[in-house]
Amino acid sequence: MRRDPDPLARLVQPVSLPLRRVSALTVVSGLIWPVQAALVAMAFGRLVAGQPVGIGGLAAGYAVLGLVRAGLGLVADRRAQAAAEVLIARLRAEIVA
């Protein structure tokens, strides 16, 4: 009896492209964290150095980046759920057939 070398790859093959896009969105969303951290570090650095902070601009930048990150995460989650629904429907059809 010959075994399939990668049953997981065969299983997710119908939704592999949407899952790759979800992965890309998740990576981009994750890359926003360091930028937000840099804004916070910049604010603290200016405070320590006795320079004007301009907290309004930094806070706005932090908030906008947070909203973008949350939006990307939401889109990625919805697309992952849609891919899972497709996969579940396909597997159910195979089981019933």
Side-chain angles (χ1 to χ4, degrees), residues 41-55 58:
M42 186 184 308
F44 281 121
R46 287 181 182 173
L47 281 171
V48 169
Q51 299 173 348
V53 176
I55 196 73
L58 291 174

Side-chain angles (χ1 to χ4, degrees), residues 3 5-6 14 22 30 40 43 50 56 70 73 75-76 81:
R3 293 189 57 155
D6 192 359
V22 166
V40 172
V75 170
Q81 184 64 37

Side-chain angles (χ1 to χ4, degrees), residues 62-89:
Y62 186 87
V64 167
L65 288 171
L67 290 172
V68 169
R69 185 177 45 81
L72 288 172
L74 180 65
V75 170
D77 288 346
R78 286 184 177 173
R79 289 185 180 179
Q81 184 64 37
E85 301 273 341
V86 167
L87 191 58
I88 290 168

